[in-house]
Amino acid sequence: MSHQLISSISSRRAGRAITDQPIDRETLTQLLQAAHLAPSCANNQPWRFVIVEDESVLSQIKEHLTGGNYWAKVSPAIVAVASRVDLDCQIPDGREYHLFGCGMAALNLMLQATELGLIAHPIAGFKSRPIKEILNIPEDFTLITLIILGHSTQDHGRLSEKHRGEETAPRDRRPLFDVAFWNRFDFVVPKADSSSS
Ligand SMILES: Cc1cc2nc3c(=O)[nH]c(=O)nc-3n(C[C@H](O)[C@H](O)[C@H](O)COP(=O)(O)O)c2cc1C
């Protein structure tokens, strides 16, 4: 049977067991090309990437990860994804598309990394201001995510007990039809529990 995209989508995981083995520029460029082929509103291409593989810049960035992202400290390459609201469609009724576009580009990058046998794990757990300064990202840009790259390893010894469990746990998703509805939006927002107040 021909290779199906769903198999890459299914095998992509936000893995944490990675090694410090370098990733060459050719491979990193392939990941960026995949990201850059993402669709965007009016083809605005709102994504801006900073690919960090210089050892001294990497180590400065790693000082500003949250404690829970200790596992990312061995990463040989990190992609910072930044954008600004005026780089993409702003529809007068309030819709702004730059984050959406960057999300699609980021997923393209992650899926291509999966194809190449790499881990590409997006994180929000970092201090934005100092990292933007280190990377020369202007203040009025949002640093949306850092994508932590690395070769995966079966050695889970560096991971916390919780993360060791998550590394091999089955996919955790809500039932499909809690989030998808035929023909009519049917999501009931859970009511706040008034008895506990
Ligand atoms: C925007 C975003 C921020 C995330 N931030 C973190 C993070 O700071 N640390 C972390 O370990 N994982 C982080 N993750 C990974 C998610 O926890 C993970 O994607 C989710 O649990 C689903 O697991 P899966 O990607 O393996 O299917 C983040 C993912 C996204 C998309």
Side-chain angles (χ1 to χ4, degrees), residues 12-15 69 71 106 110 120-126 145-148:
R12 182 210 57 80
R13 293 302 303 265
N69 285 331
W71 53 270
M110 291 182 242
H121 184 148
I123 63 166
F126 55 83
T145 188
L146 298 176
I147 304 178
I148 309 296

Side-chain angles (χ1 to χ4, degrees), residues 92-194:
D93 65 11
R95 283 172 284 145
E96 296 173 342
Y97 280 95
H98 64 303
L99 301 178
F100 183 80
C102 287
M104 290 195 288
L107 183 60
N108 268 12
L109 187 155
M110 291 182 242
L111 289 175
Q112 180 60 21
T114 306
E115 280 291 300
L116 299 174
L118 296 168
I119 295 291
H121 184 148
I123 63 166
F126 55 83
K127 286 202 195 101
S128 174
R129 189 180 287 267
I131 295 179
K132 279 165 67 175
E133 262 174 40
I134 293 161
L135 298 181
N136 201 34
I137 296 172
E139 215 181 332
D140 55 358
F141 273 65
T142 303
L143 174 53
I144 304 162
T145 188
L146 298 176
I147 304 178
I148 309 296
L149 299 171
H151 291 88
S152 71
T153 174
Q154 294 307 309
D155 178 4
H156 297 174
R158 280 206 188 93
L159 300 183
S160 66
E161 200 176 325
K162 174 174 172 268
H163 286 163
R164 265 202 297 274
E166 287 181 15
E167 204 67 9
T168 49
R171 225 41 181 293
D172 179 22
R173 290 294 185 270
R174 297 169 199 273
L176 179 57
F177 292 106
D178 280 6
V179 301
F181 318 106
W182 302 114
N183 302 312
R184 187 174 182 277
F185 190 77
D186 194 19
F187 175 64
V188 181
V189 181
K191 285 216 170 64
D193 182 1
S194 54

Side-chain angles (χ1 to χ4, degrees), residues 81-101:
V81 185
S83 190
R84 203 173 57 187
V85 68
D86 60 313
L87 294 183
D88 209 343
C89 297
Q90 296 171 269
I91 312 289
D93 65 11
R95 283 172 284 145
E96 296 173 342
Y97 280 95
H98 64 303
L99 301 178
F100 183 80

